[in-house]
Amino acid sequence: MNFLPLIVVFPLMMAIILNYLHGKEKIVRFLTFLVALALIVLPFIGEYGFYYFSGHGVENGLISGIAYLFNQTKQVVIFTLMLIGSLVLITGMGEKHANGMFTALTLMGLASVSAVVLSDDLFNLYVFYEIAAVAQTGLVIASGTEKAYKAAFRYMLMGCVAGSLLLLGIAFLLSATGTLNITDMKNYLINANPMVYGGLLMLIIGLTYGSGLPPFHTVKADLYARAKPFIAAMLQTYSKFVLVAMMLVILKLFYGMPYFNTAHGALIALSIFGMVFGVVMALMQSDYRKLLAYHAISQGGYVAAGLALGTPLGIVAGIFHAINHVIYKSALFLGAYIVHKKKGSNLAKLGGLLPIIPSVAFMVLCAKLAISGVPPFNGFQSKWMLAEAAMEVNMPELAVIMIIVSIGTFVSMMKAFYLIYLKPCSEEQINEYKSKEVPKLAIFSLAVLTFLCILLGIYPDIVVEKLYPYAYEIGRTWALK
């Protein structure tokens, strides 16, 4: 018996159960810990291959019903997703007013993003894409501030438009091909018509909303900045893996078609805008959470750039950078959560935290060096691969932009580190720091993520080797003349 559906079903079931237990804190904490442990095991319970559900089958030569595709690449992505989810849930257990709603929404997001990654049919992908958006909105609302409510409302309004357009695009493609199954649909997209063009455009709009690429970058960044920092770690993880999943779907469906060239160029341009806008906005911020939020957008541009190149190396580099990014960015958000517990996130009011929490400062510094692409951390490995992928297709300009954006990232990260940990502060402020406890569970999660930053920086092949087979399957080798 194959238990693969439990990757989606188990978190959903526990989300429902924990939602009903809202307010019963001891039971919720105990169950949350057990679920956090179980999540890490889920990606290893299924066998590779295609899965079909809903009692349908082959009709007129086309597959109908819900379809999943599970392979090594998707296993690595889902394991990383579940690991971050597990650490965020454990961190959330340290909150004084832990409740079932937070855990339920986190699990709902994990289930829905896993389903988006696994889906081999467009309608199932759309349904869980919308559930993921609802879960993210709910998690921001759970932060309980007026600014969080406004950010969530704005995200929800934009989501109504983007989600509707995505559904319209899927309807166009169904009309043009007669199927929703992605593998089958590929075979009917050889001849382009206005329906196909419209479908491709709507998929790209859905991709930009779900991942936070321009023109939705400010909406998404506001969402990260207004959520509690440890929740923001989860939100940005959802976005990166929705980006990976939808880019792979677009490549699988359209890549290699003559009419895809324009969209191909547009995707590369969007990724460049995401990288540049994100880091420029980050450099202008005086609030640490906003700074991290815009860097999440910028790093999403790197991920999109690798995938948009569409070569096997580019796809591997893009997915690897997504995995690295959610690890070090989650570490940074958890570090911001610890700092926020001491004295908010206004950089002008912080300083002198190094002697108070030296171990946290060291781990945050590691994460900052990782996001800046400094060896021997994981960010260096994936950024190096991305630059190699750009050079391979004869696009040195893209590699240069990546390097410049990395320099901007390094500058803003070191500036924030100085302002938070090294800047001299008064004795009164030090006494204020000492009077507030450090969330120990957050330090545990931060330590695990820091270890992974170093491990994948030294041994990148642990992940990279598992990504190549699928990248060769859907990628194509090309180069500008």
Side-chain angles (χ1 to χ4, degrees), residues 131-160:
I131 294 174
V134 171
Q136 291 178 75
T137 306
L139 281 169
V140 177
I141 291 172
S143 297
T145 65
E146 185 178 342
K147 289 181 178 177
Y149 299 152
K150 288 180 179 177
F153 183 65
R154 190 159 48 244
Y155 183 70
M156 193 168 59
L157 282 181
M158 299 296 283
C160 289

mmCIF file of all heavy atoms in Angstrom, residues 131-160:
data_model
loop_
_atom_site.group_PDB
_atom_site.id
_atom_site.type_symbol
_atom_site.label_atom_id
_atom_site.label_comp_id
_atom_site.label_asym_id
_atom_site.label_seq_id
_atom_site.Cartn_x
_atom_site.Cartn_y
_atom_site.Cartn_z
ATOM 1 N N ILE A 131 -6.199 27.665 -1.729
ATOM 2 C CA ILE A 131 -6.189 27.323 -0.297
ATOM 3 C C ILE A 131 -4.910 27.866 0.357
ATOM 4 O O ILE A 131 -4.935 28.375 1.479
ATOM 5 C CB ILE A 131 -6.292 25.792 -0.097
ATOM 6 C CG1 ILE A 131 -7.662 25.293 -0.582
ATOM 7 C CG2 ILE A 131 -6.099 25.422 1.372
ATOM 8 C CD1 ILE A 131 -7.803 23.787 -0.564
ATOM 9 N N ALA A 132 -3.789 27.774 -0.361
ATOM 10 C CA ALA A 132 -2.528 28.319 0.168
ATOM 11 C C ALA A 132 -2.649 29.823 0.387
ATOM 12 O O ALA A 132 -2.154 30.361 1.391
ATOM 13 C CB ALA A 132 -1.378 28.016 -0.791
ATOM 14 N N ALA A 133 -3.320 30.518 -0.553
ATOM 15 C CA ALA A 133 -3.497 31.973 -0.403
ATOM 16 C C ALA A 133 -4.366 32.288 0.813
ATOM 17 O O ALA A 133 -4.082 33.229 1.569
ATOM 18 C CB ALA A 133 -4.124 32.550 -1.673
ATOM 19 N N VAL A 134 -5.415 31.491 1.029
ATOM 20 C CA VAL A 134 -6.286 31.695 2.194
ATOM 21 C C VAL A 134 -5.506 31.451 3.489
ATOM 22 O O VAL A 134 -5.614 32.214 4.458
ATOM 23 C CB VAL A 134 -7.510 30.755 2.114
ATOM 24 C CG1 VAL A 134 -8.299 30.792 3.425
ATOM 25 C CG2 VAL A 134 -8.413 31.150 0.946
ATOM 26 N N ALA A 135 -4.699 30.383 3.500
ATOM 27 C CA ALA A 135 -3.905 30.069 4.697
ATOM 28 C C ALA A 135 -2.926 31.203 5.014
ATOM 29 O O ALA A 135 -2.764 31.596 6.182
ATOM 30 C CB ALA A 135 -3.141 28.762 4.488
ATOM 31 N N GLN A 136 -2.285 31.749 3.971
ATOM 32 C CA GLN A 136 -1.336 32.848 4.198
ATOM 33 C C GLN A 136 -2.058 34.083 4.735
ATOM 34 O O GLN A 136 -1.559 34.752 5.651
ATOM 35 C CB GLN A 136 -0.622 33.184 2.885
ATOM 36 C CG GLN A 136 0.334 32.082 2.438
ATOM 37 C CD GLN A 136 1.004 32.412 1.116
ATOM 38 O OE1 GLN A 136 1.898 33.228 1.061
ATOM 39 N NE2 GLN A 136 0.567 31.778 0.047
ATOM 40 N N THR A 137 -3.221 34.380 4.155
ATOM 41 C CA THR A 137 -3.993 35.530 4.641
ATOM 42 C C THR A 137 -4.370 35.343 6.107
ATOM 43 O O THR A 137 -4.239 36.256 6.927
ATOM 44 C CB THR A 137 -5.269 35.700 3.789
ATOM 45 O OG1 THR A 137 -4.907 35.781 2.411
ATOM 46 C CG2 THR A 137 -6.024 36.955 4.184
ATOM 47 N N GLY A 138 -4.818 34.139 6.445
ATOM 48 C CA GLY A 138 -5.213 33.850 7.820
ATOM 49 C C GLY A 138 -4.052 33.958 8.786
ATOM 50 O O GLY A 138 -4.201 34.470 9.908
ATOM 51 N N LEU A 139 -2.870 33.511 8.375
ATOM 52 C CA LEU A 139 -1.698 33.576 9.254
ATOM 53 C C LEU A 139 -1.302 35.027 9.539
ATOM 54 O O LEU A 139 -0.866 35.356 10.646
ATOM 55 C CB LEU A 139 -0.519 32.828 8.613
ATOM 56 C CG LEU A 139 -0.568 31.309 8.748
ATOM 57 C CD1 LEU A 139 0.490 30.651 7.869
ATOM 58 C CD2 LEU A 139 -0.376 30.874 10.195
ATOM 59 N N VAL A 140 -1.448 35.891 8.543
ATOM 60 C CA VAL A 140 -1.126 37.300 8.773
ATOM 61 C C VAL A 140 -2.172 37.926 9.694
ATOM 62 O O VAL A 140 -1.836 38.679 10.623
ATOM 63 C CB VAL A 140 -1.055 38.065 7.433
ATOM 64 C CG1 VAL A 140 -0.783 39.553 7.680
ATOM 65 C CG2 VAL A 140 0.053 37.490 6.571
ATOM 66 N N ILE A 141 -3.443 37.609 9.467
ATOM 67 C CA ILE A 141 -4.500 38.125 10.349
ATOM 68 C C ILE A 141 -4.257 37.660 11.787
ATOM 69 O O ILE A 141 -4.488 38.404 12.744
ATOM 70 C CB ILE A 141 -5.882 37.662 9.841
ATOM 71 C CG1 ILE A 141 -6.205 38.377 8.518
ATOM 72 C CG2 ILE A 141 -6.974 37.946 10.876
ATOM 73 C CD1 ILE A 141 -7.448 37.871 7.836
ATOM 74 N N ALA A 142 -3.758 36.435 11.944
ATOM 75 C CA ALA A 142 -3.503 35.890 13.285
ATOM 76 C C ALA A 142 -2.432 36.675 14.030
ATOM 77 O O ALA A 142 -2.284 36.530 15.244
ATOM 78 C CB ALA A 142 -3.088 34.420 13.181
ATOM 79 N N SER A 143 -1.665 37.507 13.317
ATOM 80 C CA SER A 143 -0.666 38.342 13.985
ATOM 81 C C SER A 143 -1.324 39.405 14.854
ATOM 82 O O SER A 143 -0.694 39.944 15.766
ATOM 83 C CB SER A 143 0.257 39.009 12.949
ATOM 84 O OG SER A 143 0.969 38.014 12.249
ATOM 85 N N GLY A 144 -2.585 39.760 14.536
ATOM 86 C CA GLY A 144 -3.404 40.538 15.460
ATOM 87 C C GLY A 144 -3.146 42.020 15.541
ATOM 88 O O GLY A 144 -3.483 42.643 16.550
ATOM 89 N N THR A 145 -2.551 42.630 14.518
ATOM 90 C CA THR A 145 -2.362 44.079 14.531
ATOM 91 C C THR A 145 -3.169 44.712 13.406
ATOM 92 O O THR A 145 -3.511 44.038 12.430
ATOM 93 C CB THR A 145 -0.882 44.454 14.353
ATOM 94 O OG1 THR A 145 -0.459 44.028 13.042
ATOM 95 C CG2 THR A 145 -0.012 43.781 15.392
ATOM 96 N N GLU A 146 -3.414 46.007 13.540
ATOM 97 C CA GLU A 146 -4.200 46.700 12.517
ATOM 98 C C GLU A 146 -3.472 46.685 11.172
ATOM 99 O O GLU A 146 -4.085 46.492 10.118
ATOM 100 C CB GLU A 146 -4.464 48.140 12.957
ATOM 101 C CG GLU A 146 -5.383 48.892 12.004
ATOM 102 C CD GLU A 146 -5.669 50.300 12.489
ATOM 103 O OE1 GLU A 146 -5.458 50.562 13.683
ATOM 104 O OE2 GLU A 146 -6.108 51.120 11.667
ATOM 105 N N LYS A 147 -2.148 46.885 11.222
ATOM 106 C CA LYS A 147 -1.371 46.868 9.976
ATOM 107 C C LYS A 147 -1.398 45.480 9.322
ATOM 108 O O LYS A 147 -1.412 45.353 8.100
ATOM 109 C CB LYS A 147 0.073 47.292 10.264
ATOM 110 C CG LYS A 147 0.203 48.771 10.594
ATOM 111 C CD LYS A 147 1.651 49.159 10.843
ATOM 112 C CE LYS A 147 1.768 50.656 11.121
ATOM 113 N NZ LYS A 147 3.156 51.058 11.426
ATOM 114 N N ALA A 148 -1.410 44.449 10.161
ATOM 115 C CA ALA A 148 -1.493 43.084 9.622
ATOM 116 C C ALA A 148 -2.846 42.863 8.942
ATOM 117 O O ALA A 148 -2.921 42.246 7.872
ATOM 118 C CB ALA A 148 -1.284 42.067 10.744
ATOM 119 N N TYR A 149 -3.908 43.372 9.558
ATOM 120 C CA TYR A 149 -5.237 43.228 8.947
ATOM 121 C C TYR A 149 -5.270 43.901 7.578
ATOM 122 O O TYR A 149 -5.807 43.348 6.603
ATOM 123 C CB TYR A 149 -6.316 43.849 9.842
ATOM 124 C CG TYR A 149 -6.440 43.220 11.216
ATOM 125 C CD1 TYR A 149 -6.893 43.957 12.301
ATOM 126 C CD2 TYR A 149 -6.092 41.888 11.429
ATOM 127 C CE1 TYR A 149 -7.001 43.392 13.556
ATOM 128 C CE2 TYR A 149 -6.188 41.315 12.684
ATOM 129 C CZ TYR A 149 -6.640 42.072 13.745
ATOM 130 O OH TYR A 149 -6.736 41.503 14.985
ATOM 131 N N LYS A 150 -4.704 45.119 7.503
ATOM 132 C CA LYS A 150 -4.720 45.853 6.236
ATOM 133 C C LYS A 150 -3.911 45.123 5.160
ATOM 134 O O LYS A 150 -4.324 45.032 4.001
ATOM 135 C CB LYS A 150 -4.161 47.266 6.449
ATOM 136 C CG LYS A 150 -5.087 48.185 7.222
ATOM 137 C CD LYS A 150 -4.474 49.570 7.389
ATOM 138 C CE LYS A 150 -5.419 50.491 8.150
ATOM 139 N NZ LYS A 150 -4.815 51.821 8.393
ATOM 140 N N ALA A 151 -2.729 44.606 5.564
ATOM 141 C CA ALA A 151 -1.894 43.886 4.599
ATOM 142 C C ALA A 151 -2.611 42.632 4.097
ATOM 143 O O ALA A 151 -2.580 42.320 2.897
ATOM 144 C CB ALA A 151 -0.555 43.510 5.249
ATOM 145 N N ALA A 152 -3.254 41.934 5.015
ATOM 146 C CA ALA A 152 -3.971 40.712 4.636
ATOM 147 C C ALA A 152 -5.149 41.034 3.716
ATOM 148 O O ALA A 152 -5.403 40.317 2.738
ATOM 149 C CB ALA A 152 -4.462 39.990 5.893
ATOM 150 N N PHE A 153 -5.857 42.118 4.030
ATOM 151 C CA PHE A 153 -7.010 42.504 3.207
ATOM 152 C C PHE A 153 -6.565 42.875 1.790
ATOM 153 O O PHE A 153 -7.182 42.470 0.802
ATOM 154 C CB PHE A 153 -7.734 43.685 3.869
ATOM 155 C CG PHE A 153 -8.975 44.117 3.148
ATOM 156 C CD1 PHE A 153 -10.077 43.268 3.062
ATOM 157 C CD2 PHE A 153 -9.041 45.367 2.547
ATOM 158 C CE1 PHE A 153 -11.224 43.669 2.392
ATOM 159 C CE2 PHE A 153 -10.181 45.761 1.874
ATOM 160 C CZ PHE A 153 -11.280 44.915 1.790
ATOM 161 N N ARG A 154 -5.455 43.631 1.713
ATOM 162 C CA ARG A 154 -4.938 44.030 0.400
ATOM 163 C C ARG A 154 -4.502 42.793 -0.396
ATOM 164 O O ARG A 154 -4.766 42.678 -1.598
ATOM 165 C CB ARG A 154 -3.767 44.991 0.583
ATOM 166 C CG ARG A 154 -3.293 45.653 -0.686
ATOM 167 C CD ARG A 154 -2.517 46.934 -0.419
ATOM 168 N NE ARG A 154 -1.500 46.796 0.608
ATOM 169 C CZ ARG A 154 -1.524 47.436 1.759
ATOM 170 N NH1 ARG A 154 -2.509 48.259 2.039
ATOM 171 N NH2 ARG A 154 -0.561 47.273 2.646
ATOM 172 N N TYR A 155 -3.856 41.861 0.294
ATOM 173 C CA TYR A 155 -3.408 40.629 -0.374
ATOM 174 C C TYR A 155 -4.604 39.816 -0.864
ATOM 175 O O TYR A 155 -4.590 39.250 -1.960
ATOM 176 C CB TYR A 155 -2.575 39.807 0.613
ATOM 177 C CG TYR A 155 -1.998 38.534 0.034
ATOM 178 C CD1 TYR A 155 -0.983 38.577 -0.915
ATOM 179 C CD2 TYR A 155 -2.467 37.293 0.442
ATOM 180 C CE1 TYR A 155 -0.455 37.417 -1.445
ATOM 181 C CE2 TYR A 155 -1.939 36.122 -0.087
ATOM 182 C CZ TYR A 155 -0.935 36.193 -1.024
ATOM 183 O OH TYR A 155 -0.413 35.037 -1.553
ATOM 184 N N MET A 156 -5.643 39.804 -0.043
ATOM 185 C CA MET A 156 -6.843 39.039 -0.408
ATOM 186 C C MET A 156 -7.530 39.660 -1.626
ATOM 187 O O MET A 156 -7.978 38.949 -2.529
ATOM 188 C CB MET A 156 -7.804 39.004 0.780
ATOM 189 C CG MET A 156 -8.926 38.001 0.661
ATOM 190 S SD MET A 156 -9.770 37.796 2.236
ATOM 191 C CE MET A 156 -10.320 39.475 2.564
ATOM 192 N N LEU A 157 -7.607 41.008 -1.647
ATOM 193 C CA LEU A 157 -8.236 41.687 -2.787
ATOM 194 C C LEU A 157 -7.478 41.404 -4.081
ATOM 195 O O LEU A 157 -8.082 41.069 -5.111
ATOM 196 C CB LEU A 157 -8.274 43.200 -2.546
ATOM 197 C CG LEU A 157 -9.351 43.725 -1.603
ATOM 198 C CD1 LEU A 157 -9.247 45.239 -1.503
ATOM 199 C CD2 LEU A 157 -10.742 43.334 -2.106
ATOM 200 N N MET A 158 -6.165 41.541 -4.021
ATOM 201 C CA MET A 158 -5.351 41.260 -5.210
ATOM 202 C C MET A 158 -5.471 39.789 -5.606
ATOM 203 O O MET A 158 -5.483 39.443 -6.787
ATOM 204 C CB MET A 158 -3.879 41.594 -4.942
ATOM 205 C CG MET A 158 -3.615 43.042 -4.594
ATOM 206 S SD MET A 158 -4.004 44.175 -5.931
ATOM 207 C CE MET A 158 -2.615 43.937 -6.991
ATOM 208 N N GLY A 159 -5.585 38.926 -4.586
ATOM 209 C CA GLY A 159 -5.703 37.503 -4.857
ATOM 210 C C GLY A 159 -6.988 37.158 -5.583
ATOM 211 O O GLY A 159 -7.011 36.222 -6.400
ATOM 212 N N CYS A 160 -8.051 37.903 -5.291
ATOM 213 C CA CYS A 160 -9.323 37.645 -5.994
ATOM 214 C C CYS A 160 -9.159 37.858 -7.494
ATOM 215 O O CYS A 160 -9.681 37.085 -8.307
ATOM 216 C CB CYS A 160 -10.414 38.580 -5.451
ATOM 217 S SG CYS A 160 -10.932 38.169 -3.788
#
